[in-house]
Amino acid sequence: MPEPARRSQMGRVATSGYNTPVIDATPSFRRLVALPALLVLAVLAFLPSEARADVEPPATPAQHYADRLAEEPEGAAVVVDQASGGPLTPAEMTEGLHTAFGELGLPYYVVVTPFLEVGSEIAPALHDRLGADGVYAVLEPQGTVREVESYGTDADTGSARHVALTDPDLDYNTPATEVAEVLVAALKDPSAAEQLQAERERPWPFRTDAFAGLDPSRRGGPESLGFLLGAVGGTVVAVGVCWGVRSARRGRLRPAVVVGAGSVLVAAVVVSAPAMWVAAAPTGDHEKPDAQELARMQEPYVLSTGRVEHIVETLGDDPLYVDPLVGLPREGLDGAADEFGGAPVPVYAAVVPLAQEDESGGDHEVLAAALAAVAQREGVYLVAGSVSGDTTRVGAATYGLGAGFSFDFAMREAEAAAPADALSRAVTALDDVELTPGGSYTPGFADREPSVPAPRMERYWSEGVAPGFLVFGLLVAPAAIGLGIVLLYARRVWRGGGTVVGDRVLRRLAGRETARLRALLARGEDALPEALLPQADAALLTAEARPRTLDLLGVVVLARRTLAEAEDPRAAPFEPCGVNPLHPWATERTRTPVGRSGKGEVCARCSELSPGARSARVLRLRSGGTAHAYDADPDDPWIRHGFGADDPAALVGELLKERPDGDVEQPR
């Protein structure tokens, strides 16, 4: 009934009927009756807006979930927040949790929620509010045990939680039901934590999960396996080619070709044979399209519609819904719905908590689109909330109204510190957005294809074998092997280890020493004492002939002796170290592993070594693929005459005469 008519009727009721007043009261009485009403209005006018708001005050998580646990059977209570995301619906998760905790044989109170902040604890508060003993567990929808406490039982909840958090078979997207199974198993068997710790303390190659990362069915498995095999194959090729080149330079072409081709063949088998196993391995869950991403492609855009249906039901009576768990500022929300009436189209809004683990993945737009799809009432649907930080953002969708890019852009720009301000900006922005009645709206995320990894064999070859073969096998591994050999050689020499030299090294040393000798002779006849000329001639002539490995060593030592005596003729005789003639000149006489007498001159450093260390440090000559001590033939002139230190004339005489093997010919 219109207001004027209502007032007219009220006037007739008060003054007419039988032309007498209905209430016969004095003016003082009427003022007395109106005074309480006026006082009530005055008090309401001066009360804070939140005290007279229709929006209920926020509830703490402990209070909210304790109230819901109280509605469940005592000792077997499971509450799964209807906003929980993941591959399981809240109903399926509830059933699985009852099955898991039912095997515990203890009273249990379980809460699954995605809305707890990091570091927050509610289990003690739940116990205080319920007053019931048992095991209290707070889980996230996927992957994590937030809390587990025991009251009135001897369950070792601390060790059990540690097991659930560190179990190698659980990852960040494991459903809460599977996490609960591991948790309950650890609660039933307190030694599980000790077994897990013992397993972790074992050397890595001996752990049960040491090579689990190479399983082609696991995330990153084909790439890891391919990289390892590619690295092995590349290393084989690199070593084989290096060996072949070395053999070819020594004139052994056939072995070089065989080794080079064989290394390539071995590498091909190493990377190709396991490829059949990689292709035949079962398909991993990560290789399948994610169920939540598939749900985003079509209405209602979420796997679980429990929270959405509850919000839609509330929006049927009030265009604004405020979740009791919202921790954002609530100033102005009591009058926010009044602004919706000034919008060009019907507006429905929800202020809710958002989290990465909820059914929308913490996306305002997904939840708004789900509301529109489930409500199926023409209008604009707004969702205000915050995943992280203090800024409230708004997601929007429409039903029965066509909208384009301008609508999405305008709604994304509507953000503020308080939800009421953010909603106000979004509603105001609708005046500048073109909305087509009877049209349709497809959210932008619905066009995104689910993200799945590349085909397994492509990842095996391009992301595994190729970089492993090219980068590690052909570059890093040979460099590491070479560096290791150098370091081992340096360490061995530094600690007095044996030394092995071949023709190439000795030829280079002999060339350097004879060049110094020729340079000295080129200065003039007086540059070298006449007594040393035969030794110089012997060294030069031996180096120019066809010297053996021992001849090259003798040339180096003889040339060095000749140069040293020419530089300081009055110095003590220069005798080579009996352990290694390439060492500095001998200064001490001690037991040596060479020589017939077992005693000889050694350098200062070798004199400090034990007899065993001196034996290990004896110079060995590589010849014909084998290595032997330099003094293996004690009757050789070089050894018999101590490289000229014992009897230079005798050594020179034997070197300059024609030898039966033709190694050194008589100079003409």
Side-chain angles (χ1 to χ4, degrees):
M1 179 181 299
E3 191 67 21
R6 189 182 309 172
R7 286 197 297 267
S8 175
Q9 185 180 19
M10 290 176 63
R12 288 194 297 270
V13 171
T15 60
S16 63
Y18 293 96
N19 201 23
T20 58
V22 175
I23 299 177
D24 186 11
T26 65
S28 298
F29 179 79
R30 288 197 297 269
R31 285 194 298 270
L32 183 62
V33 172
L35 183 59
L38 293 174
L39 290 175
V40 171
L41 292 176
V43 171
L44 289 177
F46 285 101
L47 281 177
S49 60
E50 290 193 8
R52 53 191 173 89
D54 295 331
V55 178
E56 296 180 1
T60 64
Q63 175 185 353
H64 177 75
Y65 292 115
D67 292 342
R68 293 191 56 187
L69 285 172
E71 299 172 359
E72 300 293 321
E74 183 176 357
V78 173
V79 171
V80 178
D81 197 297
Q82 293 298 305
S84 298
L88 302 179
T89 64
E92 294 171 335
M93 195 175 298
T94 300
E95 181 180 356
L97 292 173
H98 275 299
T99 301
F101 282 92
E103 299 179 359
L104 191 57
L106 295 172
Y108 58 88
Y109 300 87
V110 182
V111 172
V112 178
T113 174
F115 297 130
L116 293 183
E117 297 181 357
V118 177
S120 61
E121 297 182 355
I122 65 171
L126 292 176
H127 173 253
D128 291 343
R129 290 177 177 275
L130 294 177
D133 290 340
V135 174
Y136 286 73
V138 181
L139 313 177
E140 287 190 357
Q142 297 183 88
T144 303
V145 177
R146 296 297 299 265
E147 300 175 69
V148 55
E149 299 290 346
S150 174
Y151 298 96
T153 73
D154 58 355
D156 187 355
T157 55
S159 298
R161 181 172 184 266
H162 175 73
V163 170
L165 291 176
T166 58
D167 191 294
D169 293 330
L170 303 179
D171 55 28
Y172 66 91
N173 60 356
T174 302
T177 51
E178 297 182 21
V179 176
E181 292 173 358
V182 174
L183 180 65
V184 170
L187 288 171
K188 294 171 62 177
D189 182 10
S191 65
E194 299 177 1
Q195 296 173 2
L196 182 61
Q197 183 63 26
E199 174 69 14
R200 291 187 172 277
E201 292 177 353
R202 296 176 63 186
W204 176 77
F206 302 101
R207 297 179 187 174
T208 55
D209 62 337
F211 302 100
L214 302 179
D215 186 349
S217 298
R218 289 202 171 196
R219 189 183 304 273
E223 297 91 321
S224 300
L225 178 62
F227 186 89
L228 176 63
L229 297 177
V232 172
T235 303
V236 170
V237 170
V239 173
V241 170
C242 291
W243 189 281
V245 170
R246 184 181 181 188
S247 300
R249 293 181 62 181
R250 294 184 176 183
R252 295 181 291 176
L253 295 179
R254 185 173 181 180
V257 173
V258 171
V259 172
S263 64
V264 174
L265 180 61
V266 170
V269 173
V270 166
V271 300
S272 299
M276 296 182 289
W277 172 55
V278 174
T283 302
D285 292 338
H286 70 283
E287 296 177 303
K288 304 174 184 177
D290 184 73
Q292 295 187 92
E293 293 185 2
L294 288 175
R296 302 286 187 267
M297 300 180 65
Q298 58 185 356
E299 296 180 352
Y301 307 113
V302 292
L303 283 177
S304 172
T305 58
R307 175 166 69 160
V308 173
E309 291 174 354
H310 172 68
I311 296 174
V312 168
E313 182 179 355
T314 305
L315 292 178
D317 301 325
D318 189 335
L320 175 63
Y321 169 81
V322 180
D323 193 285
L325 290 180
V326 169
L328 297 170
R330 299 197 170 206
E331 291 84 354
L333 286 178
D334 56 314
D338 297 339
E339 299 185 23
F340 298 172
V345 293
V347 176
Y348 305 93
V351 181
V352 296
L354 295 170
Q356 296 288 345
E357 298 296 329
D358 67 20
E359 80 278 52
S360 68
D363 193 324
H364 313 68
E365 296 181 6
V366 172
L367 191 56
L371 289 175
V374 172
Q376 295 187 351
R377 290 195 296 266
E378 182 180 294
V380 172
Y381 292 80
L382 306 177
V383 172
S386 175
V387 178
S388 60
D390 298 328
T391 302
T392 302
R393 293 179 172 83
V394 177
T398 69
Y399 186 85
L401 298 171
F405 174 77
S406 62
F407 172 75
D408 295 333
F409 180 80
M411 296 300 102
R412 290 170 187 167
E413 291 295 310
E415 60 181 43
D421 296 335
L423 290 175
S424 177
R425 294 183 181 183
V427 173
T428 302
L430 292 176
D431 294 332
D432 301 325
V433 174
E434 182 178 354
L435 298 173
T436 307
S440 61
Y441 172 76
T442 301
F445 60 80
D447 295 330
R448 302 171 193 161
E449 293 292 331
S451 59
V452 293
R456 181 183 296 178
M457 297 309 297
E458 178 182 335
R459 289 181 283 132
Y460 174 76
W461 289 107
S462 63
E463 300 179 28
V465 173
F469 184 89
L470 297 175
V471 177
F472 188 89
L474 298 184
L475 297 178
V476 178
I481 292 173
L483 179 61
I485 292 174
V486 170
L487 293 176
L488 288 175
Y489 176 80
R491 179 174 178 271
R492 190 175 185 184
V493 171
W494 179 260
R495 299 182 61 182
T499 302
V500 180
V501 295
D503 287 356
R504 189 184 340 180
V505 174
L506 291 173
R507 197 177 300 278
R508 185 171 64 251
L509 293 175
R512 185 173 63 190
E513 299 301 333
T514 55
R516 293 174 57 205
L517 195 56
R518 288 192 180 93
L520 181 61
L521 292 172
R523 296 178 187 175
E525 297 181 357
D526 298 335
L528 191 67
E530 186 175 352
L532 298 177
L533 287 175
Q535 298 180 52
D537 290 340
L540 294 174
L541 291 172
T542 303
E544 292 175 355
R546 291 175 294 173
R548 303 165 300 159
T549 305
L550 183 57
D551 291 331
L552 291 172
L553 175 63
V555 168
V556 174
V557 178
L558 185 58
R560 286 180 177 177
R561 282 190 65 258
T562 303
L563 291 167
E565 292 188 14
E567 182 178 351
D568 190 1
R570 291 179 293 181
F574 294 95
E575 297 189 20
C577 175
V579 175
N580 188 337
L582 297 177
H583 281 183
W585 301 116
T587 59
E588 305 288 341
R589 184 173 181 80
T590 184
R591 295 185 60 83
T592 64
V594 298
R596 289 186 171 89
S597 65
K599 294 185 178 182
E601 302 289 337
V602 296
C603 65
R605 187 172 178 183
C606 289
S607 68
E608 299 174 355
L609 301 175
S610 65
R614 282 194 290 269
S615 297
R617 203 179 185 196
V618 171
L619 177 67
R620 293 184 294 165
L621 304 180
R622 184 186 295 109
S623 178
T626 61
H628 56 274
Y630 77 93
D631 64 336
D633 184 6
D635 294 325
D636 191 281
W638 292 108
I639 307 303
R640 192 168 66 252
H641 300 296
F643 296 95
D646 297 339
D647 190 349
L651 175 65
V652 171
E654 291 196 40
L655 291 178
L656 296 182
K657 73 179 182 180
E658 184 175 359
R659 297 176 57 133
D661 56 8
D663 286 333
V664 178
E665 298 180 357
Q666 177 73 24
R668 303 182 183 278

